[in-house]
Amino acid sequence: MDVLSRQAIVGRLDTRRLAHKVLFFDEIDSTNTLAVKLAQEGAAEGLLVIADSQRSGRGRLDRTWHAPAGSSLLFSLLLRPPLLLGQAQRATMLCALAAVRAIRDVARVQARVKWPNDLVVDGKKLGGVLTEIRPRGQQLDYAVVGMGINVNLDLTELPQVMSPPTSLLAERGEPVSRLDLLTRLLQEVDALYDEMLAGWSPHAAWREHLDTIGKSVAVGTREEVIRGVAESVDENGALLVRDEDGVLHTILVGDVTLRGHRT
Ligand code: BTN
């Protein structure tokens, strides 16, 4: 049994800048909800809120995030990067990139990013990132980056959902230590975050792992569905889709379906 505890986490973490304060819960409503509350109350950058299970885990676009107890990595990290509001997506890119690298190193599974921030293996959903931000003028006050990764998840335990799910257990055929994965992932975030503070953007490295470019897509935004070919992503993480009339759409928030496939 892969037991997570505050003691085990703190004993293993070797980050320099982030995760010096760790709040661990066997059960919580949502790690993001608590991290956002503490961010608004002035908590310092680097706070890690992590739980073994969530009663009301939240996904993007008001969806529910399901994860049976003991099966997943469920955590939220509070960042206060000196970024302009328009650059906020960099915090998410950085964490998604760190997750792809950590998953490769620890589980030997090659995950990719489905725009904007799903982690997928062969089109099946392995995890996702939910980033919640607050502006201060033109700057970012905070970004709470919440991550859910299906680690030792028995797929039959999940309710029927639209995107076919997967887990590291399902991909590898054997369990993966959540502690090893968490430690590696936070190490990677820590190192990349230092680079970002020194002026580096995660955009190019993140783009290399994107699964969506060059594909025929339908992107649901809050207003409409845009159909076309995903040509690229811009520096701020927006997806550039050329529709059938040749018009280029710049989409910041949306949900991608590959045409001809349900993903
Ligand atoms: C998505 O794919 O829609 C994003 C899912 C994000 C889920 C994680 S689990 C930890 C953190 N707390 C939450 O309530 N949500 C995020």
Side-chain angles (χ1 to χ4, degrees), residues 194-225:
D194 264 352
E195 290 186 39
M196 192 168 81
L197 292 181
W200 171 81
S201 167
H203 176 257
W206 171 78
R207 193 179 50 192
E208 279 179 24
H209 295 287
L210 267 185
D211 209 28
T212 318
I213 305 306
K215 297 197 170 152
S216 279
V217 294
V219 189
T221 68
R222 292 207 195 261
E223 298 82 33
E224 57 181 335
V225 177

Side-chain angles (χ1 to χ4, degrees), residues 2 12 73 106 151-152 172 175-182:
D2 180 33
R12 279 285 297 280
L73 270 187
V106 174
V151 182
N152 297 319
R172 258 176 53 129
V176 171
S177 158
R178 286 183 296 165
L179 193 55
D180 288 353
L181 183 60
L182 175 73

Side-chain angles (χ1 to χ4, degrees), residues 29-33 54 56-61 63 65 73-76 117-118 125 127-130 145-149:
D29 283 347
S30 150
T31 58
N32 257 49
T33 302
Q54 301 181 115
S56 338
R58 297 187 286 114
R60 288 177 59 246
L61 307 172
R63 297 195 182 120
W65 185 258
L73 270 187
L74 307 165
F75 67 86
S76 305
N117 37 24
D118 283 357
K125 185 151 174 168
V129 186
L130 172 68
V145 184
M147 211 177 259
I149 303 177

Side-chain angles (χ1 to χ4, degrees), residues 67-203:
S71 70
S72 303
L73 270 187
L74 307 165
F75 67 86
S76 305
L77 192 60
L78 169 59
L79 301 174
R80 297 187 183 274
L83 293 176
L84 293 169
L85 268 186
Q87 301 170 323
Q89 182 69 9
R90 289 186 193 182
T92 311
M93 291 177 194
L94 186 151
C95 292
L97 179 62
V100 167
R101 291 182 177 175
I103 288 166
R104 177 198 62 200
D105 292 351
V106 174
R108 306 270 161 232
V109 168
Q110 192 57 62
R112 292 182 64 74
V113 178
K114 180 177 162 231
W115 186 90
N117 37 24
D118 283 357
L119 300 172
V120 296
V121 179
D122 295 333
K124 292 168 288 178
K125 185 151 174 168
L126 177 70
V129 186
L130 172 68
T131 300
E132 297 182 281
I133 63 166
R134 183 169 77 173
R136 183 191 293 147
Q138 297 305 308
Q139 297 280 130
L140 203 57
D141 179 10
Y142 65 75
V144 166
V145 184
M147 211 177 259
I149 303 177
N150 302 336
V151 182
N152 297 319
L153 181 64
D154 174 353
L155 302 179
T156 60
E157 286 187 57
L158 280 185
Q160 201 71 21
V161 282
M162 202 173 77
S163 1
T166 192
S167 67
L168 295 177
L169 172 65
E171 294 301 321
R172 258 176 53 129
E174 55 180 304
V176 171
S177 158
R178 286 183 296 165
L179 193 55
D180 288 353
L181 183 60
L182 175 73
T183 314
R184 183 77 197 90
L185 201 163
L186 290 173
Q187 244 174 17
E188 195 69 40
V189 173
D190 204 50
L192 294 178
Y193 195 68
D194 264 352
E195 290 186 39
M196 192 168 81
L197 292 181
W200 171 81
S201 167
H203 176 257

